[in-house]
Amino acid sequence: MSAILRQLPAESILYLGDTARLPYGTKSPATVARYTHRNIDFLIGRGVKAIVIACNTASAVLLDDLELPVPVWGVVEPGAEIAVAAAGGGPIAVLATESTVSSDAYGRAIRRLAPNAEVFGQPCPLFVPLVEEGWYDDPVTRLVAERYLKPVLDAGARTAVLGCTHYPLLGRLLDEVAKSLVPDERVTLIDSAQAVARRLAADLEALGLIAPIGGEPPRHHLCVTDVATRFQRIARDFLSHSHTFGERALEEVVSLELVEV
Amino acid sequence: MSAILRQLPAESILYLGDTARLPYGTKSPATVARYTHRNIDFLIGRGVKAIVIACNTASAVLLDDLELPVPVWGVVEPGAEIAVAAAGGGPIAVLATESTVSSDAYGRAIRRLAPNAEVFGQPCPLFVPLVEEGWYDDPVTRLVAERYLKPVLDAGARTAVLGCTHYPLLGRLLDEVAKSLVPDERVTLIDSAQAVARRLAADLEALGLIAPIGGEPPRHHLCVTDVATRFQRIARDFLSHSHTFGERALEEVVSLELVEV
């Protein structure tokens, strides 16, 4: 969401966080698809013009066979595109939740662009709870990162997709760990959030759906299905971009709602 | 559940695992209470004679004001009772999820038995994912356990409640870590599952609800709301007790069902 706020400052965002049923990454594809369909119905019912599924797990299980009245973007395709460009024919690692890895969604998206690409999926189930502990720069996190990165680096991957919305918060540590494991080589980490924000901006422009700069000032509405501590992170995320709100007070720009979906 | 199978070998168990909405430990009390009420309605609808809420988080938010047609046990009260007996007036640590710790359910249960008891709650959000990785005896888990145990041991606690169903799987490692942190003292870990199984057996006997030994052979029915990898652990748990099934084939004893609750 931060990436979209930065890339598309004139758009009003309706955000739905399914905090009551998080995390999706450990659930079966059928259950994730069921929840995601309900979430999409909710957003369409609220009149959105376009939808970004900003969750890798939900993108991974859903996007292949979706027909909807509004355009939908997942995070997998844009991330795969940047990864293929960065890898230059070399193998690509996908660091993600168990569910995203076992869906092979990145593998399929990458091979659509580069049929002979080698893709190594690495489930990293401890990264989300480590981020939620706030242990971004911590010996525990370093040890876990070494454990997860070593096999894919040993297999020759020098490009790694951060295939979960939480992982970019570990970007600096992962960079350092990669450097310590293969000191003489450059390892590129791909942030799929950045990738989807850029793609979204280009596509909205092409579809004639982009909000005009200088029009109605944007208002953002945050819906969550549970008000727990996780919600504070979402709110903080918004607040950290409050400089883009200019002279307007925060409560003029952002509103909150607890919903049942 | 293993503890109940061992303690009450003649009882038939209807098990409901809300795998689609796990984990409860990071959700708000209102959401956990809503889910738990639905789960209880489901079990009562299936005709059970008694209910054990074998989740600390759900027990913690729900049990204080519950009126139901069948008796219900949580894991908090029995765990608190054993902890008070073991602590002999000394301070008690409660290792649990964030939600259980912030509910102070153990603190309240302990102080009902020992009004002046000192209770130190320590949230351990990484223990569940570490158990799910299977890293029971691992340098990462050791480092995390030191981080979580040190403050409560420094504060003087020598009795610690394992306030989450996953934690007893780390029992041996936690014992070793405690020994390394306070080498000259004995630290007692309380497994609340054992405590509730013993209490349940005694209470069913007293209420005249216990199944007679030598009656109808027990049959167990496992309901889950999502069939994901977690489910395999539940099944394994059952299988590890299959010696108690005697001559009967597993499929005569255990049946499975996917339910929506």
Side-chain angles (χ1 to χ4, degrees), chain B residues 18-202:
Chain B
D18 189 9
T19 41
R21 292 183 295 216
L22 276 180
Y24 281 13
T26 49
K27 296 181 175 40
S28 72
T31 295
V32 171
R34 184 157 47 97
Y35 291 164
T36 309
H37 275 294
R38 281 196 218 161
N39 296 341
I40 287 176
D41 288 344
F42 170 86
L43 292 169
I44 289 174
R46 291 283 179 113
V48 299
K49 68 181 176 188
I51 294 174
V52 175
I53 304 180
C55 165
N56 284 265
T57 305
S59 304
V61 301
L62 200 71
L63 280 173
D64 277 351
D65 57 342
L66 205 60
E67 282 186 38
L68 288 172
V70 299
V72 177
W73 291 261
V75 283
V76 172
E77 295 282 343
E81 207 172 296
I82 308 278
V84 167
I92 297 169
V94 176
L95 312 176
T97 62
E98 279 170 302
S99 160
T100 300
V101 168
S102 68
S103 75
D104 193 34
Y106 274 100
R108 282 179 282 126
I110 289 168
R111 284 187 299 268
R112 272 197 290 273
L113 302 164
N116 299 318
E118 262 192 298
V119 180
F120 303 116
Q122 172 64 51
C124 307
L126 283 162
F127 279 171
V128 169
L130 284 165
V131 166
E132 287 180 353
E133 273 284 36
W135 295 3
Y136 304 131
D137 181 20
D138 191 287
V140 170
T141 314
R142 200 166 292 270
L143 216 53
V144 172
E146 283 170 10
R147 195 82 59 90
Y148 290 150
L149 281 179
K150 193 167 187 313
V152 294
L153 295 176
D154 284 353
R158 294 295 175 263
T159 303
V161 178
L162 303 181
C164 170
T165 40
H166 282 64
Y167 297 178
L169 287 165
L170 301 178
R172 212 165 69 176
L173 179 135
L174 292 172
D175 254 335
E176 289 167 15
V177 168
K179 265 196 196 77
S180 76
L181 290 170
V182 286
D184 302 327
E185 302 190 45
R186 186 180 155 70
V187 175
T188 306
L189 302 177
I190 310 293
D191 177 349
S192 55
Q194 300 293 345
V196 75
R198 282 197 296 265
R199 166 80 82 89
L200 178 69

Side-chain angles (χ1 to χ4, degrees), chain A residues 118-130:
Chain A
E118 262 191 299
V119 181
F120 303 116
Q122 172 64 50
C124 306
L126 283 163
F127 279 171
V128 169
L130 284 165

Side-chain angles (χ1 to χ4, degrees), chain B residues 231-251:
Chain B
F231 178 67
Q232 295 166 5
R233 204 185 47 240
I234 301 165
R236 241 190 346 256
D237 204 10
F238 250 104
L239 288 172
S240 70
H241 290 272
S242 55
H243 59 276
T244 65
F245 302 156
E247 306 269 291
R248 296 189 297 155
L250 187 66
E251 51 273 26

Side-chain angles (χ1 to χ4, degrees), chain A residues 20 27-28 31 133 138 148 226, chain B residues 20 27-28 31 133 148 226:
Chain A
K27 296 181 176 39
S28 72
T31 296
E133 273 285 35
D138 191 286
Y148 290 151
D226 185 29
Chain B
K27 296 181 175 40
S28 72
T31 295
E133 273 284 36
Y148 290 150
D226 185 29

